[in-house]
Amino acid sequence: MLAIVGGLLWYSQLPTRHKAIVKTTLLHKTGLVDSDWQVENQAKEYKMLSPTFIVDDIYKSMEGPKASNYVMLSQDSTLLWITGFKVEAHDAKTGQKMSNDFICHMNVDINDTKYYSHFGLEDRIGKQYPRLTSLSHGMESFDFPQGFGVPMKGNDILFVTTQTLNHNIKDAYFKVKHKVAITYQEEDHKIKPLMSKTAFIMLPYDKHDPYKSPTDPGTDFCIPVETKNHSYDDGTGNKLSGHWVIPTGKNTYRSNINHQLAIKDSLRLHAAAIHVHPFATQIMLFNKTTKKPVFVSKVTNHKNSIGLTNIENFSSKEGIWLFANQEYEIVLEVNNTSKEDQDMMGSMFLFFYDKEMDAILKN
């Protein structure tokens, strides 16, 4: 009894996202809800149906129940080309499609050690977080422009994580599954390879008093949502956060991303998937040297509830050149129309033509 009471007291003091982790783990381990991934791989589309998630509370971005699974597109080392991603919410009992408001995000990570070693590109290992891409609320599907794809050996490992969301329904009780699809093609010498680079806004905060309100919250300072996750060091001891709090009203946030792009000479951008949270209205990749946007993504919010109706992606067969001797930043505009502080992120998964990989594949 003491252990039970102590456990309940401990659970009650957890933040919402940690409660969701504990609750989901307990439900899956005890078998009260199914915990298995259902996998189907045919017609060049790898499909997965997630375990059941119990959505029984308000879960803001990054807070809801989630699950992860390893993916292998084939059983051998045949060269495959990933061309697109999709995620949908479905009713766990009826199988019917549900609102996208129950989708927070779906992340796809690579094992960069194995992936780059297969192509003799060991110098790329560990240079950036090995996230291939992410789909999120407002952008639940994403395809590369025709003639482009991400090459990988069929028996390489992908790590997929999908998480639920519920901004609006207070008395909720839904059993939700996420249906994930990864489309791919077999070896095709006409496809051009893409490399992924992740870039996101990082804002400084006071490491000694992180939750102290900045004098001007729309400039170069922030309150982090928490200091354990999405917290970084700028190399000189200053702390930065990629997940921060926005006050009510309109604000603009910007962050230099040259160190994240790590362009050696030049790169040609062909696609971009965007991740932002509700109340974002626009995000752009901006060239500070030319004082012109590389591209602008408009964000449409729900009119009568909290949520994202659509996030514009960027896709171009011709591509746009980015250069090492120019300066780039992400600029995010928000309009918090609610009556309370909200949380925010501004990320881009940028896909560039990979000249080095192309030469390797041709040989």
Side-chain angles (χ1 to χ4, degrees):
M1 289 297 294
L2 288 174
I4 293 173
V5 171
L8 290 174
L9 288 173
W10 169 77
Y11 178 81
S12 66
Q13 295 174 7
L14 293 174
T16 303
R17 72 187 63 203
H18 294 145
K19 285 182 179 177
I21 293 171
V22 172
K23 190 188 314 179
T24 303
T25 301
L26 180 64
L27 290 170
H28 287 169
K29 292 292 185 182
T30 57
L32 294 175
V33 297
D34 70 281
S35 59
D36 294 328
W37 287 81
Q38 299 176 30
V39 176
E40 178 185 343
N41 188 9
Q42 60 182 18
K44 307 311 173 196
E45 187 174 48
Y46 192 101
K47 297 179 181 179
M48 296 187 297
L49 196 62
S50 75
T52 298
F53 302 120
I54 302 297
V55 179
D56 58 352
D57 201 348
I58 293 293
Y59 292 114
K60 292 185 177 182
S61 300
M62 320 291 287
E63 290 184 347
K66 61 182 179 179
S68 302
N69 192 36
Y70 289 99
V71 172
M72 187 181 291
L73 298 180
S74 73
Q75 299 300 312
D76 55 44
S77 60
T78 301
L79 181 66
L80 301 176
W81 295 88
I82 297 176
T83 57
F85 309 88
K86 187 177 183 179
V87 60
E88 295 177 343
H90 287 253
D91 186 291
K93 185 176 181 180
T94 66
Q96 292 184 339
K97 191 176 182 301
M98 301 177 70
S99 168
N100 289 335
D101 288 354
F102 291 108
I103 298 172
C104 179
H105 63 258
M106 187 276 289
N107 297 332
V108 182
D109 298 339
I110 61 171
N111 181 325
D112 66 337
T113 300
K114 189 175 180 181
Y115 178 83
Y116 290 124
S117 295
H118 276 163
F119 297 107
L121 294 168
E122 286 83 358
D123 59 324
R124 297 188 184 183
I125 296 172
K127 294 299 177 62
Q128 67 167 29
Y129 190 78
R131 178 142 299 159
L132 180 59
T133 194
S134 181
L135 299 180
S136 58
H137 187 35
M139 183 180 287
E140 295 84 12
S141 63
F142 176 72
D143 295 298
F144 298 125
Q146 187 176 1
F148 291 88
V150 173
M152 70 177 299
K153 303 287 185 169
N155 56 1
D156 264 357
I157 299 295
L158 296 173
F159 187 62
V160 174
T161 300
T162 186
Q163 185 170 28
T164 53
L165 183 72
N166 176 31
H167 278 295
N168 301 296
I169 307 173
K170 294 182 178 180
D171 298 322
Y173 188 80
F174 299 95
K175 292 184 176 181
V176 181
K177 287 179 176 287
H178 284 175
K179 186 176 182 180
V180 177
I182 302 173
T183 55
Y184 64 94
Q185 297 180 23
E186 291 184 347
E187 187 169 353
D188 186 340
H189 297 293
K190 295 180 181 180
I191 298 180
K192 295 180 180 180
L194 295 172
M195 73 166 78
S196 175
K197 287 181 176 286
T198 303
F200 52 94
I201 291 178
M202 292 187 290
L203 301 173
Y205 65 88
D206 187 342
K207 63 181 179 181
H208 302 294
D209 191 1
Y211 303 112
K212 177 184 177 182
S213 296
T215 305
D216 186 353
T219 54
D220 60 350
F221 206 77
C222 80
I223 299 176
V225 171
E226 60 174 307
T227 57
K228 293 182 179 180
N229 296 309
H230 306 289
S231 188
Y232 311 92
D233 191 297
D234 69 352
T236 62
N238 297 314
K239 286 296 185 179
L240 306 169
S241 180
H243 189 196
W244 70 96
V245 175
I246 61 170
T248 57
K250 294 182 179 180
N251 280 295
T252 300
Y253 302 91
R254 58 203 318 140
S255 177
N256 186 290
I257 60 168
N258 275 47
H259 63 294
Q260 296 174 343
L261 295 177
I263 302 174
K264 295 179 180 179
D265 177 45
S266 60
L267 288 173
R268 192 168 72 236
L269 179 67
H270 287 278
I274 308 299
H275 173 71
V276 294
H277 290 181
F279 304 105
T281 57
Q282 177 178 286
I283 188 169
M284 74 171 77
L285 177 58
F286 188 74
N287 187 325
K288 286 189 69 176
T289 304
T290 64
K291 295 181 172 54
K292 294 180 180 179
V294 179
F295 72 85
V296 179
S297 172
K298 299 288 186 181
V299 182
T300 305
N301 285 258
H302 294 346
K303 290 184 178 180
N304 300 312
S305 61
I306 298 175
L308 296 176
T309 306
N310 184 63
I311 303 172
E312 292 180 349
N313 67 0
F314 168 77
S315 179
S316 170
K317 292 182 68 175
E318 296 76 18
I320 298 177
W321 285 98
L322 276 66
F323 301 95
N325 61 355
Q326 296 183 353
E327 191 173 355
Y328 301 93
E329 62 181 2
I330 294 177
V331 182
L332 173 67
E333 295 181 8
V334 305
N335 183 16
N336 182 0
T337 55
S338 72
K339 297 180 181 180
E340 59 185 11
D341 291 348
Q342 301 289 343
D343 63 284
M344 184 56 61
M345 298 183 81
S347 306
M348 295 180 175
F349 302 91
L350 304 168
F351 294 89
F352 298 92
Y353 167 63
D354 194 338
K355 182 179 179 180
E356 186 178 13
M357 177 71 81
D358 204 3
I360 291 171
L361 295 178
K362 286 178 179 177
N363 289 332

